[in-house]
Amino acid sequence: MTDGVARLVAAGRALRSAAPHRLPGALRRVLRAHWAVEEAQLLLADYGLTVLLPVTSEENGPEPVPVQGSAPGRAFGSQQPYVEGPAAGRARAHLPVTVRGDRLGVLSLTLPVPDRERLAELAELAELLGHEVVVARRDTDLYERARRKDRLTLAAEMQWQLLPARSCAREEYALGAQLEPAYSVFGDNFDWTASAGRLTVGVTDGMGEGIDAALLTNLGVSALRNARRAGVPIEDQAALADQALYAQYRGEAHLSVLLADIELGSGRMRIVDAGSPQLLLQRDRVLSPVDLDAQLPLGMFDGTAYAAQEFTLLPGDRLLFVSDGVHAVAAPSGETYGERALARAVGNASLLPAADVPAAVLRELTGHRGRPEPDDDALVVCLDWFGGRPAPSGARSCGAGPHSTDPADRHRRNGGDDTEADEIADENQE
């Protein structure tokens, strides 16, 4: 076992053995002991993806760092380590903390100028840290609280707890999604799941506002997941969710949904369009709506039957799922965003990875609207289809397997233990 592998094995054991709320302290001890790191700060992206917030239990901790125009933001956006110019033998390194394509944040370190090998080790440690944060946040609110630059409304709290990761990548595809306004969303939602041979993506929009919309969407998405996990086709998933919603609301509330099921080996896609979300295709740099047969939203009538349409994706295709809070928004002149402005926004984002496209489109939507506060939720999901081609460098797998660079997947852990004195000292720092 090489020294680098031994350090990562020891680090993995120390992080996994730490209590969930003590993970930052365990991280600092590991970095100090094995990489001579003087300062370490875990920064998590907020719900709106505008700032990186430090994980700390202090009331007045370090200031948030903007994603745009900062050194940590550069690492977050590029998904590559970034080292600020060294001075006096010391450097500031910023490492993306990403789990299977889901961008959580950045690990910022002050340490002796690292060589390429040490930087690669630290980048792998940052990915290992991401896996541990995902597990730890099930048992503590420390990391969820750290993501908030403002208080979430109760409806937004319900919606964010329902969502999967905001980005994901595999050899065949890359996905990214964003909801706005992030801290007060009502009924818009996205969902996806992948298996060895299939990817299912859904975008939903529950009618109404506030808690009523959030409750409706929670019931609808849960019903869709329940049907999907029973292994039925997407048209039957829609029908079963329709029955669940009608049984609860008797037609007084409904849920718009756009469901897509993709066969990963062939790119064959089956789609159910039941409401207001729209599907757009960018192929050969031309953006056009996918011609779908509009069907009734879920829950309007008893026993509605749904049909799926078929469509085949080609390598290089980009799909955008957009809610009516995007395509129907009018400028002060009266022109809706979905007429020409959306095509310009998607064109301007054509070189961005899928994870960055939704935020870029929503930023331009704010300019089109002419005022900062929207009247409705806005949701964009971007799907880049690679087909059988390898995914771009730096993409992470959505599932476990040969793409994983987590040393826990490759080695048994047998590192050293932390001392009680170190634990107490680092708890005080937290």
Side-chain angles (χ1 to χ4, degrees):
M1 184 182 293
T2 67
D3 290 344
V5 170
R7 283 190 289 268
L8 288 169
V9 167
R13 181 180 180 185
L15 293 180
R16 287 200 319 279
S17 63
H21 65 284
R22 293 180 177 175
L23 189 58
L27 172 68
R28 283 193 289 270
R29 292 191 295 274
V30 161
L31 289 166
R32 188 167 56 230
H34 297 290
W35 287 276
V37 169
E38 298 166 8
E39 295 179 9
Q41 184 67 66
L42 172 60
L43 304 165
L44 296 182
D46 82 305
Y47 288 94
L49 295 178
T50 58
V51 295
L52 297 165
L53 297 157
V55 176
T56 176
S57 59
E58 298 175 6
E59 293 255 338
N60 299 308
E63 290 295 314
V65 177
V67 170
Q68 300 293 323
S70 69
R74 181 168 174 172
F76 183 78
S78 68
Q79 288 296 286
Q80 297 293 329
Y82 176 67
V83 180
E84 295 185 71
R90 296 290 183 269
R92 188 73 173 162
H94 307 283
L95 310 161
V97 178
T98 301
V99 179
R100 295 175 177 142
D102 186 21
R103 304 176 176 191
L104 303 183
V106 172
L107 177 61
S108 293
L109 310 173
T110 301
L111 72 166
V113 179
D115 57 24
R116 182 175 298 180
E117 182 179 345
R118 286 297 177 95
L119 191 62
E121 286 177 24
L122 290 167
E124 192 162 350
L125 177 63
E127 185 172 351
L128 173 60
L129 172 64
H131 285 265
E132 295 303 324
V133 168
V134 168
V135 174
R137 67 187 182 189
R138 298 182 305 192
D139 300 314
T140 177
D141 285 337
L142 178 66
Y143 308 101
E144 290 302 320
R145 290 175 59 189
R147 295 176 61 198
R148 302 168 188 222
K149 67 181 182 68
D150 296 305
R151 183 176 177 179
L152 290 178
T153 65
L154 178 55
E157 185 84 50
M158 294 170 66
Q159 293 296 78
W160 281 107
Q161 291 301 312
L162 192 63
L163 293 173
R166 285 187 293 193
S167 54
C168 181
R170 255 176 57 169
E171 183 180 22
E172 302 91 348
Y173 62 85
L175 271 166
Q178 180 60 15
L179 262 173
E180 293 290 353
Y183 291 84
S184 58
V185 291
F186 299 138
D188 284 9
N189 191 272
F190 60 86
D191 195 22
W192 57 60
T193 185
S195 64
R198 312 200 73 81
L199 169 68
T200 302
V201 182
V203 172
T204 55
D205 180 5
M207 66 174 288
E209 297 181 356
I211 296 299
D212 289 340
L215 288 170
L216 172 64
T217 300
N218 268 258
L219 177 59
V221 171
S222 297
L224 287 167
R225 288 176 175 171
N226 180 255
R228 185 186 72 214
R229 291 164 183 167
V232 301
I234 57 169
E235 58 268 38
D236 294 334
Q237 295 172 28
L240 289 169
D242 170 73
Q243 292 174 18
L245 290 169
Y246 186 82
Q248 180 67 29
Y249 292 99
R250 311 307 296 181
E252 294 182 1
H254 60 264
L255 182 78
S256 296
V257 63
L258 183 63
L259 291 176
D261 179 72
I262 303 169
E263 189 177 77
L264 297 179
S266 64
R268 188 171 69 94
M269 179 168 63
R270 304 181 74 247
I271 310 169
V272 172
D273 177 9
S276 58
Q278 288 191 3
L279 183 63
L280 306 169
L281 169 67
Q282 186 180 35
R283 177 175 287 173
D284 297 329
R285 305 184 70 85
V286 176
L287 183 72
S288 57
V290 178
D291 187 17
L292 298 173
D293 295 332
Q295 301 174 72
L296 291 173
L298 308 187
M300 289 191 73
F301 300 101
D302 188 17
T304 304
Y306 292 90
Q309 296 172 257
E310 292 194 3
F311 182 82
T312 299
L313 293 171
L314 301 178
D317 282 352
R318 169 168 281 180
L319 286 174
L320 285 104
F321 302 74
V322 296
S323 67
D324 60 354
V326 176
H327 63 77
V329 171
S333 64
E335 180 187 30
T336 62
Y337 192 60
E339 290 176 8
R340 288 179 296 181
L342 180 56
R344 287 196 299 269
V346 174
N348 292 339
S350 60
L351 298 181
L352 295 177
D356 291 337
V357 170
V361 171
L362 291 172
R363 281 195 299 270
E364 297 209 20
L365 173 64
T366 301
H368 173 86
R369 189 171 53 234
R371 61 188 188 283
E373 293 301 321
D375 298 323
D376 194 6
D377 293 351
L379 167 62
V380 177
V381 177
C382 178
L383 167 64
D384 283 349
W385 178 251
F386 308 129
R389 301 180 307 171
S393 61
R396 301 294 193 268
S397 170
C398 292
H403 300 278
S404 175
T405 57
D406 183 352
D409 295 336
R410 303 197 305 265
H411 307 289
R412 293 184 179 275
R413 307 305 194 190
N414 53 12
D417 294 326
D418 301 313
T419 66
E420 183 177 359
D422 279 344
E423 290 180 353
I424 295 171
D426 280 300
E427 276 191 306
N428 291 335
Q429 289 185 41
E430 295 169 34

